[in-house]
Amino acid sequence: MSKDYVHGYDPKENIRLQDQASTLVELLHSDTSYPAGSKVLEAGCGVGAQTITLAQNSPEALITSVDISKDSIAEAKKKVGAAGITNVKFEQGDIFNLSFEPHSFDHIFVCFILEHLARPIEALRALKKLLKVDGTITVIEGDHGSAYFYPDSKEAHKAIQCQVELQKRAGGNAMIGRELYPLLRAAEYKSIQVSPRMVYVDFTKPELVKGFTKKTFTAMIEGVRESALDAKIIDQATFDKGIRDLYRTTELDGVFCYTFFKAVARNS
Ligand SMILES: C[S@@+](CC[C@H](N)C(=O)[O-])C[C@H]1O[C@@H](n2cnc3c(N)ncnc32)[C@H](O)[C@@H]1O
């Protein structure tokens, strides 16, 4: 396991990633579909939470999904097999050191990976070498600075800040969404287009109340409780009130907003 990476391996986190993926399918995937015969690399597929949608939206593309974690690959394989998908093959590998020939992919898809890496520009450069000359890369990331809600709560913001701080200490960046443009630029991609994808949740959208505010975002913040308390970056009462206040936004008059960023860029 790379020391650059903080979470994504325990069963609870895998369920959260799956809930996140199912809730966000339309928002994040609706405009991604690759032509028949094109070679696509999914870099950092994890337990396959995005792989199924990727494959279903591009049924005739040839998808290679890689991840550094052997266990995650095994899980992803099972899931993709159970869904009857046949256009995906899996390989274990490190994004910084993949063994594919240069220029061997028409398209690359990267979702929720850069936020965990200490050297995201280097990762983008390494992937660029694998892209064909006119090939595209699609990168999706969140940005925890984009979370705002009603009723507002300073304790909720402090609890969110714990996740940001812990990810930073592990070498990552939970506010990387806003940096996709400068990162891709620094890695010398061309024709970079970034589109913000906002999730807006109120009580009239029960599937988002459950699938996003509760099971994706608040579950993720709740998941750092022990680490945040151990690291003494917050006291227990403040953290627990912050979590209660995040759940409070899911009540009748509550509102929760969060923005993901999706970038598409070319190799030339
Ligand atoms: C948060 S998960 C996201 C997985 C998937 N893309 C999704 O959206 O559900 C991050 C994944 O990146 C993988 N990862 C981290 N560093 C990596 C590296 N250097 N090379 C390949 N995969 C890596 C982890 O093993 C983990 O599965």
Side-chain angles (χ1 to χ4, degrees):
M1 184 192 309
S2 160
K3 67 176 168 32
D4 290 337
Y5 185 59
V6 259
H7 61 231
Y9 297 115
D10 74 294
K12 245 170 132 184
E13 174 66 2
N14 288 344
I15 292 167
R16 193 191 70 77
L17 286 170
Q18 200 53 62
D19 284 334
Q20 169 170 275
S22 332
T23 308
L24 301 175
V25 163
E26 181 63 21
L27 186 75
L28 301 181
H29 282 269
S30 58
D31 52 348
T32 298
S33 152
Y34 300 115
S38 56
K39 292 187 176 169
V40 178
L41 172 67
E42 183 193 10
C45 62
V47 292
Q50 315 293 336
T51 314
I52 292 183
T53 309
L54 205 57
Q56 284 170 340
N57 288 351
S58 304
E60 294 181 64
L62 308 165
I63 301 171
T64 303
S65 294
V66 301
D67 200 279
I68 201 165
S69 157
K70 208 173 162 186
D71 292 348
S72 297
I73 289 277
E75 183 84 15
K77 253 186 199 163
K78 247 196 266 167
K79 209 176 285 165
V80 162
I85 287 165
T86 54
N87 63 330
V88 181
K89 63 178 184 191
F90 290 96
E91 275 189 37
Q92 189 191 1
D94 181 345
I95 286 176
F96 293 94
N97 192 24
L98 292 171
S99 58
F100 305 108
E101 290 295 314
H103 311 298
S104 44
F105 292 98
D106 298 289
H107 304 285
I108 297 181
F109 181 88
V110 192
C111 186
F112 306 140
I113 306 298
L114 299 186
E115 60 170 315
H116 299 293
L117 304 178
R119 295 170 282 121
I121 298 172
E122 222 175 282
L124 289 171
R125 285 205 179 111
L127 292 173
K128 189 166 179 279
K129 290 187 185 145
L130 302 177
L131 260 186
K132 288 189 184 164
V133 171
D134 210 24
T136 70
I137 186 165
T138 297
V139 186
I140 300 173
E141 292 291 345
D143 188 320
H144 291 3
S146 73
Y148 53 93
F149 31 84
Y150 180 86
D152 202 1
S153 150
K154 63 177 188 315
E155 289 83 2
H157 286 291
K158 282 184 181 166
I160 295 168
Q161 201 49 39
C162 290
Q163 156 81 38
V164 172
E165 179 58 28
L166 288 167
Q167 200 157 332
K168 191 170 169 186
R169 289 184 189 187
N173 179 2
M175 308 214 298
I176 202 167
R178 71 190 69 181
E179 295 184 24
L180 290 190
Y181 182 80
L183 290 171
L184 284 159
R185 208 169 167 271
E188 296 180 59
Y189 284 87
K190 302 286 186 276
S191 312
I192 307 163
Q193 293 202 307
V194 179
S195 71
R197 313 267 163 129
M198 186 191 192
V199 186
Y200 169 83
V201 189
D202 65 31
F203 203 70
T204 64
K205 303 171 197 306
E207 68 297 337
L208 285 176
V209 166
K210 185 175 170 215
F212 188 74
T213 312
K214 289 184 179 169
K215 289 185 143 193
T216 296
F217 191 83
T218 307
M220 170 183 64
I221 303 301
E222 231 175 340
V224 303
R225 185 177 187 275
E226 296 316 314
S227 313
L229 297 179
D230 287 350
K232 299 196 188 327
I233 51 183
I234 196 166
D235 63 85
Q236 188 174 322
T238 306
F239 189 88
D240 291 344
K241 176 160 190 327
I243 297 298
R244 280 199 304 279
D245 289 351
L246 285 174
Y247 281 117
R248 168 67 182 86
T249 70
T250 66
E251 290 178 22
L252 208 56
D253 61 348
V255 171
F256 188 87
C257 304
Y258 186 89
T259 303
F260 292 92
F261 294 81
K262 179 170 182 175
V264 180
R266 284 192 182 275
N267 188 16
S268 69

